[in-house]
Amino acid sequence: MPTYVAPVKDMQFLLHDVLKISEADIPGYADLDRSFTGAVLDEAAKMAQDVLAPLNAVGDREGCVLENGVVRTPTGFKAAFEALRRGGWMSLDASPDHGGQGLPYLMHTAVNETFVSANMAFNMYQGLTHGACSAIVAHGTDAQKAKWLPRMVSCEWTGTMNLTEPHCGTDLGLLRTRAEPQADGSYRITGQKIFISAGDHDLASNIVHLVLAKAPGGGEGTKGISLFIVPKVLVNDDGSLGARNAVSVGKVEEKMGIHGNATCVMNYDGATGWLLGDLHKGMKAMFTMMNEARLGVALQGYAVAEAAYQNALTYAKDRLQGRAVTGPENPNGPADPLIVHPDIRRNLMEQKSFVEGARALTYWGATLIDRAHAGDMAADGLVGLMTPVLKGFLTDKGFEMAVQAQQVYGGHGYIEDWGMSQFARDARIAMIYEGANGIQALDLVGRKLATDGGRHVMAFFDMVKAEVKAHDGDARMTGFAEPLKAASKQLQQAGMFFMSEGMKNPNAALAGSYDFMHMMGHVCLGLMWTRMAKAACTALDAGAADRAFLEAKIATGRFYMARQLPACGMHLARIESGAETVMALTAEAF
């Protein structure tokens, strides 16, 4: 069975040596000194390693079962969920007004990584609840917040979001679920939703569904959509649970992965619901939850890859196969370990450099969210720009790295006994849900680049330029600053191509959107590796004790800059080829 050890040392390096969080002018960060964050992460690591990780294979093997209208989760899930709930892990960054601990979103992100790496399917139950709470916080009335949030924050009750229907996924303008207003101010919700993660389970006494539906008078398309709070069990005025609502599970989907999470078809047969936010403005309210979910999915991309990498590394060190081309390195054994071979090293370095760079990018993104929560509009704009890059790039590469980890095992990686296939199967969904990655690329190029007159993308380029300039004259940083500068120029060149060609032929821009998303992802990781390398050099200069860790950090960064960042040139060539070859065939010619 695969194992997992939370990379607390690497997390602490990012938080304190790279991001220097306790020195940042962000509310709540002054309290995040190294000893405090270390204590939190150490305890989260114990929960992840000792409670969640052993259930990962159990959940994959058993899956979820629909019995007499209720979904039963895998063996051990209920006790583990209660352990997390009692420990307050699910309310880490929620407001104390609702029973939370009031820590910054950054700490939720770091802790959440360990839980996802240990057991992605399990963590989705509380992860979706976190998003539902955020939507109610942002758009609910005071009465709604008082009624729903305390028990959702504690995960006594959990939450979901219900968007997709059998005939419409991304195109929500086709949505058919209806909401009929009632005399008491409630609505009767009727329709069917599919692909509802954690749609039903036996982990909590109530499930609060946030459901998109069309109320009368809203018109056609997405402008007529509203968002409603529709609980599984109705709640009495005194807060006690009442009658069962007209919400039922049609089926539990059989899926490629995340078997431990119940993906449900949900039927609403005149269920009682209450409007959340403004009437006919449901998309705005839902996107509060959707954007948070996309950042959470970005984290899933690299967190699963981290667990897969750890196991591939162990296997590469233990498995004896062949001899090093430069001579035996294990002369007393029948063969050398796999890790002596250059192609295995290449494989492992690609995994390591991606995971560590992705972690840095995600934590930096979390600091931007904390700034945005404090009213920093520039940070809010940068988060909007970065969200499709984080979601699309990190999940694409995360799946690729999970497959590469499986590849290290050779034939054993394909056998279920070793558990590596689960990482690949679980990681695959992250490229699809919360907006398939092709949609993320279209959102980036079609909307986000031009938002506020292009102010936010220009701010990003200025940030990269300032980073490069900061290392002028530092010979140790040449292998970072120069490649980053070149890649940033290529990214700007791609943007100029879209500006010059996109107005004449929109397909020319959209045909290159996926390449642009990956190109920007590589530049982001190049930026992160440059910052990490500088932090490691500074720590070495200060006489840090763990020189091996810091030197390995610099060497890993050099690998990324030399072997991964050059992909920007390939993506630029594809973008500048335009749409002609992409659109050349008629639909009938395929």
Side-chain angles (χ1 to χ4, degrees):
M1 186 173 70
T3 59
Y4 169 69
V5 177
V8 173
K9 181 187 289 187
D10 198 67
M11 294 173 168
Q12 287 283 76
F13 170 74
L14 287 175
L15 294 175
H16 298 287
D17 295 283
V18 180
L19 297 172
K20 299 183 183 299
I21 57 172
S22 61
E23 302 172 21
D25 59 339
I26 303 174
Y29 276 38
D31 297 328
L32 302 181
D33 60 33
R34 195 180 292 265
S35 61
F36 176 79
T37 59
V40 172
L41 293 175
D42 283 342
E43 289 303 311
K46 292 176 186 176
M47 186 66 69
Q49 294 160 191
D50 300 339
V51 178
L52 302 187
L55 296 176
N56 198 36
V58 175
D60 186 56
R61 183 173 61 251
E62 294 185 8
C64 297
V65 180
L66 180 61
E67 295 178 348
N68 301 320
V70 177
V71 173
R72 306 297 179 192
T73 53
T75 303
F77 271 43
K78 196 166 186 177
F81 195 80
E82 181 60 21
L84 260 73
R85 201 179 76 79
R86 285 198 312 268
W89 292 109
M90 299 163 177
S91 61
L92 210 62
D93 67 321
S95 170
D97 293 341
H98 308 129
Q101 299 178 53
L103 292 178
Y105 181 78
L106 174 63
M107 290 306 297
H108 164 80
T109 300
V111 166
N112 202 41
E113 178 193 327
T114 69
F115 295 165
V116 172
S117 289
N119 196 327
M120 174 178 164
F122 176 93
N123 196 63
M124 290 171 65
Y125 291 103
Q126 63 105 353
L128 288 159
T129 304
H130 189 280
C133 287
S134 295
I136 295 173
V137 167
H139 303 286
T141 64
D142 289 342
Q144 286 174 331
K145 293 174 185 177
K147 183 174 185 176
W148 303 108
L149 287 176
R151 291 182 179 176
M152 292 177 69
V153 162
S154 70
C155 273
E156 180 181 343
W157 300 344
T158 62
T160 73
M161 60 178 171
N162 287 227
L163 290 80
T164 306
E165 300 183 3
H167 59 283
C168 72
T170 301
D171 191 355
L172 289 171
L174 302 175
L175 186 144
R176 293 176 185 161
T177 299
R178 297 293 170 182
E180 294 295 330
Q182 305 298 298
D184 64 357
S186 67
Y187 288 77
R188 288 175 61 84
I189 312 298
T190 303
Q192 186 180 76
K193 299 290 185 177
I194 65 170
F195 304 156
I196 308 307
S197 299
D200 196 73
H201 52 79
D202 56 2
L203 305 179
S205 58
N206 202 2
I207 302 172
V208 182
H209 302 288
L210 300 190
V211 183
L212 286 180
K214 288 189 174 181
E220 297 301 315
T222 57
K223 293 181 179 179
I225 294 175
S226 301
L227 184 62
F228 299 89
I229 299 174
V230 188
K232 174 182 176 178
V233 182
L234 297 172
V235 179
N236 298 320
D237 291 340
D238 63 0
S240 63
L241 294 179
R244 175 71 185 261
N245 205 354
V247 181
S248 61
V249 181
K251 66 177 291 192
V252 175
E253 302 286 4
E254 294 188 21
K255 313 183 295 295
M256 177 179 175
I258 55 168
H259 296 157
N261 195 270
T263 304
C264 300
V265 174
M266 302 299 299
N267 296 320
Y268 295 86
D269 300 305
T272 301
W274 292 269
L275 181 67
L276 177 61
D278 296 329
L279 189 64
H280 310 315
K281 302 293 185 183
M283 292 302 293
K284 177 183 177 182
M286 180 56 78
F287 267 100
T288 298
M289 188 171 182
M290 179 68 80
N291 285 334
E292 179 180 311
R294 286 174 174 171
L295 292 164
V297 171
L299 183 147
Q300 288 178 339
Y302 83 81
V304 174
E306 165 70 39
Y309 163 71
Q310 287 187 18
N311 286 276
L313 177 60
T314 298
Y315 187 85
K317 289 180 176 180
D318 291 344
R319 176 72 168 175
L320 302 181
Q321 291 285 282
R323 289 294 189 186
V325 294
T326 54
E329 295 196 16
N330 179 33
N332 297 323
D336 289 333
L338 281 172
I339 200 166
V340 306
H341 303 300
D343 191 60
I344 294 292
R345 290 290 188 96
R346 185 267 318 159
N347 186 328
L348 292 171
M349 286 294 283
E350 287 183 1
Q351 294 177 58
K352 180 178 172 63
S353 64
F354 164 73
V355 167
E356 293 179 14
R359 177 178 297 116
L361 180 60
T362 303
Y363 287 16
W364 173 65
T367 68
L368 292 178
I369 290 174
D370 282 326
R371 286 190 182 278
H373 286 168
D376 187 329
M377 297 309 296
D380 189 61
L382 201 50
V383 169
L385 173 70
M386 297 303 302
T387 295
V389 179
L390 281 157
K391 197 281 182 181
F393 182 69
L394 296 193
T395 60
D396 273 357
K397 299 298 286 187
F399 171 71
E400 181 184 330
M401 294 304 115
V403 171
Q404 287 192 195
Q406 184 186 32
Q407 187 75 11
V408 171
Y409 282 68
H412 290 294
Y414 201 66
I415 303 300
E416 291 295 337
D417 289 350
W418 289 85
M420 295 305 290
S421 74
Q422 184 186 352
F423 293 128
R425 288 185 284 103
D426 286 356
R428 183 65 183 89
I429 186 58
M431 302 163 68
I432 298 171
Y433 61 13
E434 308 304 345
N437 286 355
I439 299 297
Q440 303 300 322
L442 295 180
D443 179 45
L444 175 63
V445 171
R447 293 179 62 244
K448 297 299 177 59
L449 292 183
T451 298
D452 294 332
R455 179 193 313 163
H456 306 300
V457 72
M458 293 309 299
F460 173 76
F461 285 132
D462 287 344
M463 185 185 305
V464 174
K465 183 178 180 180
E467 186 68 37
V468 170
K469 187 173 179 59
H471 307 301
D472 281 351
D474 188 342
R476 297 174 301 180
M477 295 298 297
T478 302
F480 292 90
E482 291 304 317
L484 178 60
K485 180 178 180 180
S488 178
K489 285 185 175 180
Q490 289 171 326
L491 184 62
Q492 292 177 68
Q493 187 174 332
M496 293 300 294
F497 175 83
F498 290 154
M499 290 179 62
S500 63
E501 300 295 324
M503 294 298 291
K504 296 180 289 184
N505 178 13
N507 283 340
L510 298 186
S513 61
Y514 212 92
D515 282 284
F516 189 87
M517 179 180 74
H518 271 248
M519 197 177 185
M520 190 164 178
H522 278 298
V523 172
C524 286
L525 259 64
L527 175 63
M528 293 302 113
W529 272 116
T530 301
R531 290 177 174 176
M532 285 190 282
K534 181 60 177 179
C537 288
T538 300
L540 286 170
D541 290 345
D546 199 347
R547 297 187 64 85
F549 171 82
L550 297 168
E551 289 168 353
K553 187 68 66 177
I554 295 169
T556 305
R558 289 189 182 280
F559 173 90
Y560 193 89
M561 306 305 279
R563 297 285 299 235
Q564 301 297 92
L565 199 57
C568 290
M570 174 193 70
H571 291 302
L572 177 60
R574 289 176 175 175
I575 290 168
E576 292 184 335
S577 72
E580 182 179 352
T581 57
V582 174
M583 306 299 292
L585 296 182
T586 62
E588 294 74 21
F590 277 89

